Amino acid sequence: MPDETTQPAPPTPPEVVIEFKDVRKAFGPNVIYDPLNLSVYRGETLTVIGGSGKGKSVLLKMLIRLLQVDSGSIQCFGEEVTTMPEGKLLGLRRRIAMLFQGAALFDSLTVAQNIKYPLVEHKWGNREQMDHRVEEVLEMVGMPGIQHLKPSELSGGMKKRVGLARAIAIQPDVILYDEPTTGLDPLNVRRINGLILRLQRRLNVTSVVVTHDMDSCFTITDRIAFLYERRMDWTGTKEAALATDFPPLREFVQGGRGTLEAEGTED
Amino acid sequence: MSSAIKLLGHIGAVTRLSGRTFKIVFSRRFVDRSLLSAQMDQAGIGSWSIAVLTALFTGAVMAIQFADGLEPYGASLYTGKMVSLGIVRELGPTLTAVLVGGRVGAGFTAEIGSMNVTEQVDAISALGADPIEKLVAPRVVACIIMLPLLTLLADFVGCFGAMLVVMTDVGVTATFFIEQVLDTLVVADLIHGLAKATFFGYFIAIVGCYVGLNTRGGTEGVGRSTTDTVVAISITVLVSNFLLTKLFLSF
Ligand SMILES: Nc1ncnc2c1ncn2[C@@H]1O[C@H](COP(=O)(O)OP(=O)(O)OP(=O)(O)O)[C@@H](O)[C@H]1O
Ligand SMILES: [Mg+2]
């Protein structure tokens, strides 16, 4: 009876927090979405998989309007993103944080200043509270005590983790992860995956994760959305993804599992 | 034909960027003095040596030419008049803008362009700030302030270079030279030159930032953009100089 906490939430009618409806996007002749339809439910972790250069990063950027759609609608917390006035956009970006693919740390600022950046912009607290928060999130990503370093002194994997620290500093409701574990060693992959799970389970954060790393995907995800041929037609649970008979997805998923099994047989 | 359309597109986009920038500058949002002083330092203080060197030798060379050209008419004594007029009205502002503009504008493009291709510009927006407020506004204001100051410096140094040449080649005294210069120049000359420099400062910054913000394609793209900026700024300065001169002289 008591051990209900480890069980995933029962399937009450899920509340949609993010919805892409008939979103079309092209860069000149380069058509990316034709069209995109996708829903993300509150508290879930949705993983977006798909080939390189197919528009996964573009999807995340459209969601916080770093890129504008050509047509269609994006609803977020019940509000239309595509036509939102500038002033409201700030509030949206307070609630949705993004970890960029290349971390996108500001080269001219120290690690501490980088992490404080959103805190300062959103007037999050006083100086002491901010310093404390910086310490806290660096601890969470497993890199305590590096406040004074410059991004140029960090490795790619370290940058990524500082980028993650910066994204979660403001305690967002939704976190967009653009390839959070790419370029990390296995230990840190586990740590970041653990962190993503923890944020979701404890704080009920909704996550959208873009990744090529199928191991991580199956560890952290509730649902998978497969981007194929400029659409996101296949979405489903990870179990369904494993059992799929949709050939392109099968290939994608088996590719990931294939390496797992090969490693397994070597032991 | 298509490149003309492209050019018009760029001009339109630069105008929009300018509008958004000045809206920020003239609103109370623009209070970040540390960003501004950093840019003034980089744009202005970092460029004074270029401005001085250019002006010194240009002034000197003009003096040699005019002294030589006026000689048959026995007028080399008046070299100072010609040279100072040329420097203060035209060469001071224009040469400074082309040279400093190349340096500073290319720097802006390289900096903002690399931030753009590494998603740092996106990150500024994503973290709740405005890239135009953080990147463009301080640079535009810094250049609008610094270019006239650098031009003033160039004017002085240019006349000084000319004076040295006239003193040695023609054999006039410094007092005579200075008197002639003060006799020739009116305040309007100086103001025209400095007003032009203000516009040049704005062009340099806005073009540098605009090209940077539109940079794509990794480090290679940054390299291409930087070259584009130098060309665009030189042309903008020279063409606008013609138009501004026409405009100012019609008053
Ligand atoms: N701002 C932009 N301007 C023009 N084209 C763009 C822009 N951003 C992305 N693209 C193009 O859109 C396509 C999709 O890019 P995106 O970065 O979303 O790919 P991705 O799926 O994230 O790939 P990867 O897995 O390699 O990160 C690419 O062809 C890219 O060149
Ligand atoms: Mg990507």
Side-chain angles (χ1 to χ4, degrees), chain A residues 27 30 32 51-58 101 179 212, chain B residues 216:
Chain A
F27 296 104
N30 182 9
I32 309 290
S52 229
K54 298 289 194 227
K56 302 184 297 300
S57 300
V58 168
Q101 192 163 352
E179 308 197 5
H212 293 297
Chain B
R216 305 258 175 278

Side-chain angles (χ1 to χ4, degrees), chain B residues 135-185:
Chain B
L135 300 176
V136 183
R139 284 173 172 80
V140 168
V141 174
C143 280
I144 286 182
I145 295 173
M146 292 318 282
L147 251 279
L149 293 179
L150 287 171
T151 300
L152 200 59
L153 179 68
D155 288 349
F156 273 110
V157 175
C159 290
F160 177 73
M163 186 175 82
L164 293 184
V165 168
V166 177
M167 281 167 65
T168 49
D169 284 15
V170 182
V172 305
T173 63
T175 330
F176 179 79
F177 182 92
I178 292 169
E179 264 171 14
Q180 275 204 328
V181 170
L182 293 181
D183 205 37
T184 317
L185 291 180

Side-chain angles (χ1 to χ4, degrees), chain A residues 25-28 30-33 48-61 66-67 101 178-179 210-212 227, chain B residues 116 119 122 215-216:
Chain A
K25 179 73 187 166
F27 296 104
N30 182 9
V31 178
I32 309 290
Y33 287 110
V48 176
I49 58 175
S52 229
K54 298 289 194 227
K56 302 184 297 300
S57 300
V58 168
L59 176 128
L60 300 184
K61 286 181 187 172
L66 297 176
L67 288 171
Q101 192 163 352
D178 201 344
E179 308 197 5
V210 165
T211 189
H212 293 297
L227 169 58
Chain B
N116 202 21
E119 296 179 311
D122 276 342
T215 299
R216 305 258 175 278

Side-chain angles (χ1 to χ4, degrees), chain A residues 5 7-8 48 67 72 78 92 122-123 127 146 174 183 195 200 202 222 240 252 267:
Chain A
T5 42
Q7 292 295 314
V48 176
L67 288 171
L92 178 79
H122 292 291
K123 304 187 177 64
R127 187 181 261 258
I146 60 156
V174 176
L195 184 62
Q200 185 213 4
R202 297 231 187 105
D222 298 313
F252 220 91
D267 284 353

